[in-house]
Amino acid sequence: MSHLPLALVGLLCIAMVIAAVVAIRGRSLPIAILAAGLVSLVASVLFLVLASPDVAMTEAAIGSGLTTFLFFFVLGRVRGGQDDGQPDGGQS
Amino acid sequence: MIKRLLALLLLAAIGSVFAVLLLGYTPDAELNLTARYYAERTAADIGAANIVTAIVVTYRGLDTLGEVTVLFLSATIVGLVLAQGSGPGRSPSVRTPVGELLGTGARVLAPLILLLGVYVFVNGHLTPGGGFQGGAIVASGMLLLLLADPLRQFSHGLISTIESVAGIAYVAIGVLGLVLAGGFLDNRILPLGTLGELASAGAIPLIYSLIGLKVGAEFSSMLASLSETEEL
């Protein structure tokens, strides 16, 4: 592997970690869902850079497309029920 | 506190395992025996421009049949579990209408997403992607429609008909390969055609279209039954 893809791979990995941290620690649920989708999107770009376009397609279609849509769909269903977005109080 | 320390230790251990793997990695200078066989023989034997598709659909077609079966079983079980909670007459609960942006955007985007999904699985033997990816794209288009109009009802009869017909036709093509060509799911029951054309690679476009329809129908039926369950 030449140096340019190596730098690109490193950059993508850092972006994935940042998006994952945002998805876990983020206060707002929609932003957390989008960040989780972003992890998959960056992962699919990473697969593309690593020359496996088929895996990249799967990751983009299922990980970042279908799952993100599904989370938003479920979020729309549970809205108005119990408020789950409160800051971590220690229990759980 | 001690829990956190343990988690950190575990993370460090996993990280060091991966680091050792990564540092000890040297790319192969040439393809190994199996990979070389596939790379050299695919174009002549299978006629598919996408080697991954040739492996997934033909060389390892039986594994793909297993994968499709697993997906079918999980879709069935999801439908079974969710059907327990929902009565036939679903109460038309009052929901807040979706926003203008989502409603209009879904009407514009859903046909394009469905078209892209069909394109992906029809061109599975030429370009990256194939039945599973195309099916997932089709299902996300359906999910977008559901998102824009939560009260929309998909016809379960139509979905299960598509799925059953696609599944039976897939196995029938496999058996046809056993009779007419070299073995189960052999793609050479149809002429191989010119490498790189849409109607080439024998039965692969047909098989991958069936897989795409089946996967799309399975995901859609899961999503539809998810959307039709009563709110708990």
Side-chain angles (χ1 to χ4, degrees):
Chain A
M1 201 188 290
S2 64
H3 285 290
L4 179 66
L6 202 60
L8 192 57
V9 166
L11 215 63
L12 289 173
C13 289
I14 293 169
M16 268 173 78
V17 171
I18 291 174
V21 168
V22 169
I24 295 171
R25 307 299 299 185
R27 285 275 172 252
S28 132
L29 270 181
I31 289 180
I33 294 173
L34 283 179
L38 192 64
V39 175
S40 287
L41 202 61
V42 178
S44 81
V45 175
L46 186 60
F47 288 137
L48 196 63
V49 172
L50 295 175
S52 60
D54 288 83
V55 186
M57 293 270 303
T58 314
E59 184 69 44
I62 294 180
S64 92
L66 201 59
T67 318
T68 310
F69 274 158
L70 188 65
F71 272 128
F72 271 116
F73 179 70
V74 173
L75 189 65
R77 290 294 301 265
V78 300
R79 269 281 159 79
Q82 265 189 327
D83 186 15
D84 214 358
Q86 57 198 1
D88 194 12
Q91 74 265 38
S92 83
Chain B
M1 206 58 205
I2 195 98
K3 227 178 207 175
R4 227 161 238 215
L5 203 65
L6 275 177
L8 276 179
L9 271 178
L10 196 64
L11 271 181
I14 295 173
S16 59
V17 167
F18 277 116
V20 167
L21 279 180
L22 187 66
L23 291 178
Y25 172 74
T26 44
D28 290 340
E30 54 182 18
L31 297 173
N32 64 27
L33 196 62
T34 324
R36 195 163 61 234
Y37 178 86
Y38 288 143
E40 283 170 358
R41 303 287 295 276
T42 292
D45 284 0
I46 309 293
N50 183 357
I51 297 179
V52 176
T53 296
I55 295 172
V56 167
V57 177
T58 305
Y59 288 122
R60 292 277 171 269
L62 198 61
D63 299 11
T64 306
L65 185 60
E67 279 175 46
V68 171
T69 312
V70 167
L71 199 58
F72 167 70
L73 275 179
S74 44
T76 313
I77 291 169
V78 166
L80 200 69
V81 169
L82 290 179
Q84 301 279 330
S86 65
R90 167 167 158 247
S91 60
S93 52
V94 185
R95 286 171 209 271
T96 49
V98 297
E100 189 67 31
L101 201 60
L102 179 59
T104 314
R107 275 204 295 282
V108 174
L109 281 179
L112 292 178
I113 294 177
L114 293 182
L115 192 65
L116 175 70
V118 172
Y119 173 85
V120 166
F121 66 65
V122 167
N123 283 284
H125 57 304
L126 303 177
T127 54
F132 289 96
Q133 292 91 332
I137 293 173
V138 166
S140 52
M142 304 298 249
L143 186 56
L144 186 62
L145 286 177
L146 271 180
L147 209 59
D149 179 10
L151 293 180
R152 181 190 295 270
Q153 299 261 15
F154 287 127
S155 156
H156 278 285
L158 180 66
I159 290 178
S160 51
T161 309
I162 290 176
E163 195 198 342
S164 323
V165 168
I168 291 172
Y170 178 32
V171 178
I173 287 177
V175 174
L176 220 58
L178 202 58
V179 176
L180 297 178
F184 190 65
L185 282 173
D186 197 325
N187 70 325
R188 282 167 291 188
I189 55 174
L190 293 174
L192 287 186
T194 330
L195 182 74
E197 278 185 13
L198 182 58
S200 68
I204 285 185
L206 202 57
I207 292 175
Y208 239 6
S209 301
L210 291 172
I211 293 178
L213 283 177
K214 192 166 162 56
V215 170
E218 274 157 3
F219 276 135
S220 302
S221 85
M222 274 196 238
L223 298 170
S225 30
L226 255 181
S227 108
E228 281 164 21
T229 45
E230 291 290 320
E231 285 177 61
L232 298 173

